[in-house]
Amino acid sequence: MKKLLSIALAAVMLFAAAGCGQESEPQLTAEERAKLYSDAITAARGEEENEAFPVLTDAEDPSAPLIMELVGLTGEDADAFALSVSPMNVNAYGIAVVMPAEGKADAVLAGLQGFVELQQRNFEMYLPDQKVIADAAKVETLSDGTVVMVMCENADAVFESIQKAVEG
């Protein structure tokens, strides 16, 4: 009986040790996450958009303060990001993939939603085709906390492609 109990206890300890020994997914650095986001945006859209709307991933880039302010963010709001927006108010175009900094998820969501609402108002009286694009914009939080905003033609397909790249 003691031998059977010892074997059972050893088996339980072996299973427990095996479970504890499983390693979780390694965490990405901010640079790796920004590259993942940038690659996801680039893969989700066509060559024309990739050429016309570069992806910003570095807060030290000279254009970063202007672009971040345009989409309602600050450098302190994000641990990692990739932003691609139309600098001219002739296209309802913007894609943002952001990992909010600690405690900044609400600020990131509010900033990106504010950008979408501004674009919707901007195109309300002119360029009705761009108003339709702005009205179809998506702002959502993925399962890992990444916030994604997509405002472009085929927003659903672009969003799904980015979501698969980030979560997959």
Side-chain angles (χ1 to χ4, degrees), residues 106-145:
D106 290 340
V108 169
L109 281 167
L112 296 177
Q113 190 60 48
F115 173 73
V116 168
E117 291 167 3
L118 176 64
Q119 295 304 305
Q120 291 168 338
R121 286 190 306 272
N122 286 344
F123 292 110
E124 197 163 39
M125 296 301 182
Y126 73 105
L127 298 175
D129 62 323
Q130 298 303 304
K131 171 78 165 111
V132 170
I133 292 170
D135 286 343
K138 299 177 72 94
V139 180
E140 294 186 24
T141 302
L142 304 182
S143 61
D144 70 347

Side-chain angles (χ1 to χ4, degrees), residues 147-166:
V147 179
V148 179
M149 179 210 51
V150 176
M151 180 175 30
C152 62
E153 290 186 34
N154 304 315
D156 288 335
V158 172
F159 180 88
E160 287 176 21
S161 178
I162 291 171
Q163 181 179 24
K164 285 179 186 172
V166 171

Side-chain angles (χ1 to χ4, degrees), residues 24-155:
S24 61
E25 284 285 317
Q27 294 295 318
L28 297 176
T29 66
E31 293 80 15
E32 291 168 334
R33 190 171 292 280
K35 175 147 180 36
L36 170 69
Y37 294 166
S38 177
D39 291 348
I41 291 172
T42 301
R45 60 189 189 176
E47 186 177 324
E48 186 177 321
E49 290 87 4
N50 284 331
E51 190 173 313
F53 307 112
V55 179
L56 173 71
T57 60
D58 184 359
E60 300 300 318
D61 186 290
S63 63
L66 178 65
I67 299 296
M68 292 187 85
E69 183 179 341
L70 180 66
V71 297
L73 301 177
T74 68
E76 293 79 37
D77 290 337
D79 285 339
F81 63 88
L83 307 172
S84 181
V85 297
S86 174
M88 309 286 279
N89 202 18
V90 295
N91 292 319
Y93 186 89
I95 299 177
V97 185
V98 181
M99 175 54 72
E102 180 90 23
K104 295 291 188 167
D106 290 340
V108 169
L109 281 167
L112 296 177
Q113 190 60 48
F115 173 73
V116 168
E117 291 167 3
L118 176 64
Q119 295 304 305
Q120 291 168 338
R121 286 190 306 272
N122 286 344
F123 292 110
E124 197 163 39
M125 296 301 182
Y126 73 105
L127 298 175
D129 62 323
Q130 298 303 304
K131 171 78 165 111
V132 170
I133 292 170
D135 286 343
K138 299 177 72 94
V139 180
E140 294 186 24
T141 302
L142 304 182
S143 61
D144 70 347
T146 300
V147 179
V148 179
M149 179 210 51
V150 176
M151 180 175 30
C152 62
E153 290 186 34
N154 304 315

